[in-house]
């Protein structure tokens, strides 16, 4: 997943083969939460993420299992 993410952001830095880029956590948002947000009944035509808070206690490394909780 790290390799695919680095390709998607077009960052060839070899560091991203072992350690996740800082924005990688955004790719871990639960699919159900994304669907709920995008399918919310609202008169608005567009939705903008006004803020996200991420707390890094240590770098995300290749091969780790990550648990994500959305609220």
């Amino acid at each position: 997943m790290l390799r695919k993410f680095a390709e998607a952001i077009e960052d060839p830095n070899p560091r991203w083969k072992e350690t996740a880029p800082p924005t990688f956590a955004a790719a871990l948002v639960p699919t159900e939460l994304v669907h709920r947000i995008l399918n919310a009944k609202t008169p608005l035509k567009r939705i903008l993420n006004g803020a996200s808070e991420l707390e890094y206690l240590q770098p995300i490394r290749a091969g780790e299992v990550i648990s994500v909780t959305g609220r």
Side-chain angles (χ1 to χ4, degrees):
M1 194 169 176
L2 289 180
R3 181 182 47 76
K4 287 182 180 181
F5 187 83
E7 288 173 3
I9 63 172
E10 297 182 353
D11 189 337
N13 188 334
R15 175 182 180 186
W16 306 144
K17 292 180 181 178
E18 296 298 324
T19 304
T23 54
F24 177 74
L28 303 176
V29 174
T31 306
E32 179 185 325
L33 181 59
V34 173
H35 286 291
R36 216 169 17 166
I37 291 168
L38 295 178
N39 294 318
K41 293 186 184 206
T42 175
L44 305 174
K45 295 184 186 253
R46 296 185 177 108
I47 297 174
L48 173 67
N49 178 1
S52 294
E53 285 187 35
L54 304 171
E55 182 178 2
Y56 293 90
L57 303 178
Q58 60 188 20
I60 298 172
R61 301 200 184 281
E64 292 183 326
V65 176
I66 307 292
S67 296
V68 178
T69 303
R71 46 182 184 150

